[in-house]
Amino acid sequence: MGNAWEWMEDHFNALPGFATHPLYPDFSTPCMDGQHQMIMGGSFVSTGDEASMYARFHFRPHFLQHSSFRLVQSLSPDNGSGDVPVTHLTSEDALRAA
């Protein structure tokens, strides 16, 4: 959706009922280490099932290959001051998390 992966604040963890596939024992499990954030959706490099808005992957915060950005507008009304709560991430934040 939108040709860009969406970085999530959540770490990559197993969903209920997760079981390691016998042919891919080292694909997801090593990334359930609290050091990998989730990315959701499909990017312009995704193909097949990976191009779904339901796709769920894992990367470390410093992974910027195929980066993009998305413009969003808050649905919560401001208090008249024009101030809407926003989280700003900087490159220093990404380096600290790595």
Side-chain angles (χ1 to χ4, degrees):
M1 182 174 174
N3 277 345
W5 285 311
E6 184 175 347
W7 274 100
M8 308 302 289
E9 187 175 349
D10 300 344
H11 288 128
F12 184 74
N13 292 304
L15 294 172
F18 171 81
T20 302
H21 191 283
L23 298 179
Y24 299 101
D26 60 349
F27 181 72
S28 296
T29 308
C31 298
M32 297 175 187
D33 58 3
Q35 296 181 22
H36 290 75
Q37 247 92 8
M38 288 188 354
I39 57 173
M40 302 283 291
S43 81
F44 59 93
V45 298
S46 302
T47 60
D49 291 342
E50 296 174 355
S52 165
M53 65 182 191
Y54 302 105
R56 181 176 178 267
F57 295 100
H58 41 79
F59 286 102
R60 289 194 174 188
H62 64 274
F63 180 82
L64 299 175
Q65 184 180 5
H66 309 305
S67 292
S68 186
F69 67 94
R70 190 172 295 182
L71 298 176
V72 297
Q73 180 176 358
S74 175
L75 294 177
S76 33
D78 64 28
N79 58 9
S81 67
D83 294 329
V84 178
V86 176
T87 300
H88 297 279
L89 299 177
T90 66
S91 56
E92 287 90 34
D93 293 329
L95 291 173
R96 273 194 300 274

